[in-house]
Amino acid sequence: MTSKTNPSENTNGLTNGPSGQPEPSAQSTQSLEPGPVKLLFKQRIFSWIASYNIFDESGNTVYQVKGKFTFGRLFKIYDAAGRELGKVKKKLFAFKTKFAIYIGSECIGYVWKKRISVRPKFFTDFNGWSMTGNIIEWNYSIMNAQGGLVATIKKEIFHLSDTYSITVVNPADALCAVLLVLAIDAEKDDRNNS
């Protein structure tokens, strides 16, 4: 018996959405239930470079993130089976610090921080989302262009390693939301080490 391939599915495990841009397939979101989904980021202790396991509320691995030594910061995100889904990469030689967001091998846009602001604020140029944090940069809200809530990010205290929870309103936005969180974390780390 031969299996038919879906013509809208790319070789990298992503499907083309209505706009023709790649979107995560059902495999990459681990069949997340409809309605808000909560994910837990746990940075690995004693890691030479930032790497995370990202779990659902039941403790199942949904994503794995691995930082790489390269010219500029680079984080790659994989599904639980080890398939690469996207990456966050620092744009070099830019006037302001920007991080490129990739879904599969396609750069879908950039994330950057507003330079002067009492509360940290980040912008994107690919879906109209913006991220605003509290003064101590532990908690963030991701909003869409219409002002609707996309996700919230909260630092969990009393853990040995940096641990964040992210609640995504629509599970279809989970991968992009996770990539934005990684970009924020990379910008913070970049700023603290420069």
Side-chain angles (χ1 to χ4, degrees), residues 61-144:
T61 299
V62 179
Y63 301 114
Q64 299 172 48
V65 177
K66 297 176 184 174
K68 293 201 170 237
F69 285 114
T70 184
F71 193 52
R73 297 187 184 277
L74 173 66
F75 296 93
K76 291 189 175 185
I77 187 164
Y78 304 84
D79 66 12
R83 291 179 293 258
E84 185 179 327
L85 301 175
K87 63 186 172 186
V88 174
K89 185 176 183 182
K90 183 178 179 181
K91 184 176 181 184
L92 301 173
F93 312 115
F95 175 69
K96 54 188 166 188
T97 302
K98 282 187 173 184
F99 289 86
I101 302 289
Y102 290 80
I103 299 253
S105 59
E106 180 182 352
C107 178
I108 60 169
Y110 294 89
V111 177
W112 65 94
K113 184 180 181 198
K114 185 175 179 180
R115 284 189 179 265
I116 301 171
S117 179
V118 175
R119 295 170 55 186
K121 187 159 186 148
F122 291 82
F123 298 95
T124 69
D125 62 0
F126 64 91
N127 59 7
W129 292 359
S130 62
M131 292 74 65
T132 304
N134 63 0
I135 292 175
I136 56 175
E137 299 188 68
W138 278 5
N139 303 323
Y140 287 86
S141 295
I142 301 176
M143 310 299 284
N144 63 26

Side-chain angles (χ1 to χ4, degrees), residues 23-55:
E23 294 179 350
S25 67
Q27 291 175 336
S28 68
T29 54
Q30 294 288 301
S31 303
L32 297 172
E33 301 275 329
V37 62
K38 184 175 180 181
L39 300 172
L40 203 61
F41 282 57
K42 286 192 177 180
Q43 187 169 14
R44 292 177 191 150
I45 310 173
F46 308 124
S47 177
W48 284 69
I49 47 179
S51 57
Y52 301 86
N53 289 323
I54 301 173
F55 304 95

Side-chain angles (χ1 to χ4, degrees), residues 12-26:
N12 58 11
L14 302 173
T15 56
N16 291 327
S19 65
Q21 288 201 354
E23 294 179 350
S25 67

